[in-house]
């Protein structure tokens, strides 16, 4: 069944791998605009990951075995790296915070993502924020789908979206970004390139095979689970294409997606 999923997802993966957005990032303004929109995908990734940790590792007291030791090992390892990796200066930092650090080093606008975190810390739900904030459709649709998946509490669906929509996909996408990224004169991209290279390094090694094994364990011989895993994985890839399409359109229009406040 894994082979069938990979075969059916291949056209969408290829479309993402060769998306024209990668070749469109050739000015500082393009890099800033890309990051200001992509940061939402950097942020919401953690909710997929932490929900999997909640479902596949025991976080209750008193503790008891979760029944998924291999999946638990994978998820806990990825959480450790995502929440407390080492930045370019050797300081412990989450990948999301690393991305914000790279944005600020390039004077990209972090107001929108900072406001989202502020509102969450103030007690608003993500649903309330998405209903009342005027995010562009390609960002709002991406986030709505992520939290629909998270709120399902269906481990096999979350694992499929996490694996085929994120973990297994990210190295190919980030390699293309680095390959095509043009360094404007006088602009230091060191923090951004470090972020991309760290993801390529940690995601393309043992995490990929372990994530596939996790899906096999969670779906087992249940045909309905495999079908829903495939359906949600396709939707995840389609929404990533929509996100890239939206970022590309912004780049072509040469207008800021978020105004500086």
């Amino acid at each position: 069944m894994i082979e069938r999923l990979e075969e059916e997802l291949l056209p969408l993966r290829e479309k993402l791998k060769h998306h024209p957005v990668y070749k469109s990032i050739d000015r500082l303004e393009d890099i800033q605009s890309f990051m200001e929109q992509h940061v939402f995908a950097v942020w919401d990734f953690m909710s997929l990951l932490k929900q999997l940790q909640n479902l596949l590792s025991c976080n209750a007291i008193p503790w008891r075995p979760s029944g998924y030791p291999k999946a638990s090992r994978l998820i806990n390892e990825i959480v450790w790296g995502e929440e407390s990796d080492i930045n370019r200066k050797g300081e412990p930092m989450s990948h999301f915070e690393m991305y914000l650090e790279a944005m600020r080093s390039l004077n990209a606008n972090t107001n929108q993502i900072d406001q989202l975190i502020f509102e969450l810390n103030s007690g608003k739900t993500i649903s309330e924020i998405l209903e009342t904030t005027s995010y562009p459709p390609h960002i709002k649709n991406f986030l709505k789908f992520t939290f629909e998946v998270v709120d399902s509490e269906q481990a096999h669906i979350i694992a499929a979206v996490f694996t085929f929509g994120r973990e297994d996909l990210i190295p190919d996408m980030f390699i293309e970004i680095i390959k095509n990224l043009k360094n404007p004169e006088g602009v230091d991209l060191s923090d951004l390139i470090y972020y991309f290279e760290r993801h390529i390094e940690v995601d393309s090694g043992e995490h990929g095979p372990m994530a596939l094994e996790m899906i096999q364990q969670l779906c087992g011989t249940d045909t309905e689970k495999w079908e829903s895993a495939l359906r949600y994985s396709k939707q995840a890839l389609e929404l990533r294409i929509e996100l890239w399409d939206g970022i590309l359109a912004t780049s072509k229009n040469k207008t800021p997606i978020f105004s500086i406040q």
Side-chain angles (χ1 to χ4, degrees):
M1 290 299 295
I2 283 288
E3 288 77 9
R4 183 197 160 203
L5 258 68
E6 291 180 322
E7 182 179 345
E8 294 210 25
L9 295 175
L10 184 59
L12 290 171
R13 285 181 59 101
E14 287 297 307
K15 189 171 182 179
L16 273 167
K17 185 175 179 179
H18 301 290
H19 198 284
V21 73
Y22 309 124
K23 294 183 179 179
S24 73
I25 307 172
D26 54 9
R27 306 175 305 151
L28 175 59
E29 292 83 355
D30 298 330
I31 298 170
Q32 291 168 334
S33 179
F34 174 86
M35 297 182 79
E36 288 163 9
Q37 297 171 80
H38 176 242
V39 68
F40 290 92
V42 176
W43 170 73
D44 77 346
F45 168 84
M46 282 304 301
S47 292
L48 287 169
L49 176 57
K50 295 297 283 188
Q51 185 69 302
L52 276 177
Q53 187 182 43
N54 289 338
L55 295 171
L56 301 178
S57 298
C58 180
N59 292 313
I61 305 298
W63 178 90
R64 56 267 192 198
S66 69
Y68 299 103
K70 287 184 179 180
S72 180
R73 177 182 174 84
L74 168 66
I75 294 305
N76 287 330
E77 181 179 320
I78 296 175
V79 168
W80 174 78
E82 288 287 339
E83 280 194 310
S84 56
D85 202 0
I86 301 296
N87 73 358
R88 194 166 64 91
K89 300 170 187 173
E91 303 164 338
M93 187 176 287
S94 71
H95 284 181
F96 171 69
E97 290 164 310
M98 268 188 225
Y99 201 81
L100 289 181
E101 184 178 61
M103 289 180 71
R104 290 173 181 134
S105 75
L106 295 169
N107 293 318
N109 178 11
T110 65
N111 289 343
Q112 291 290 330
I113 191 66
D114 288 341
Q115 181 65 24
L116 185 151
I117 301 300
F118 174 81
E119 291 184 358
L120 287 172
N121 288 338
S122 299
K124 283 191 178 181
T125 66
I126 186 62
S127 296
E128 290 171 332
I129 294 169
L130 291 177
E131 288 303 318
T132 58
T133 306
S134 57
Y135 295 134
H138 58 279
I139 293 176
K140 182 171 285 191
N141 292 341
F142 193 90
L143 293 174
K144 278 187 172 181
F145 174 74
T146 295
F147 287 97
E148 173 192 333
V149 171
V150 168
D151 291 342
S152 76
E153 297 188 1
Q154 298 294 306
H156 66 287
I157 291 174
I158 302 170
V161 169
F162 172 81
T163 299
F164 294 113
R166 303 294 182 103
E167 195 72 3
D168 193 47
L169 183 68
I170 284 172
D172 283 347
M173 292 192 303
F174 285 0
I175 286 169
E176 290 302 313
I177 291 173
I178 289 177
K179 188 194 306 181
N180 290 288
L181 191 61
K182 298 178 179 65
N183 195 341
E185 186 176 350
V187 176
D188 185 0
L189 299 179
S190 300
D191 287 335
L192 178 58
I193 291 173
Y194 179 86
Y195 169 85
F196 286 142
E197 289 180 340
R198 280 298 291 159
H199 263 283
I200 292 167
E201 179 184 350
V202 300
D203 292 343
S204 61
E206 64 182 35
H207 289 176
M210 288 173 72
L212 295 177
E213 187 175 347
M214 172 177 64
I215 293 174
Q216 288 177 315
Q217 183 180 7
L218 292 173
C219 290
T221 59
D222 189 323
T223 304
E224 288 188 10
K225 284 187 175 181
W226 282 108
E227 289 300 326
S228 60
L230 174 59
R231 184 170 66 256
Y232 276 89
S233 296
K234 281 185 176 179
Q235 194 171 351
L237 295 178
E238 288 164 353
L239 284 164
R240 175 69 74 161
I241 291 170
E242 180 184 320
L243 180 67
W244 275 186
D245 287 345
I247 294 175
L248 179 62
T250 303
S251 176
K252 285 182 176 179
N253 292 338
K254 309 294 185 186
T255 55
I257 192 70
F258 300 121
S259 59
I260 301 294
Q261 298 175 356

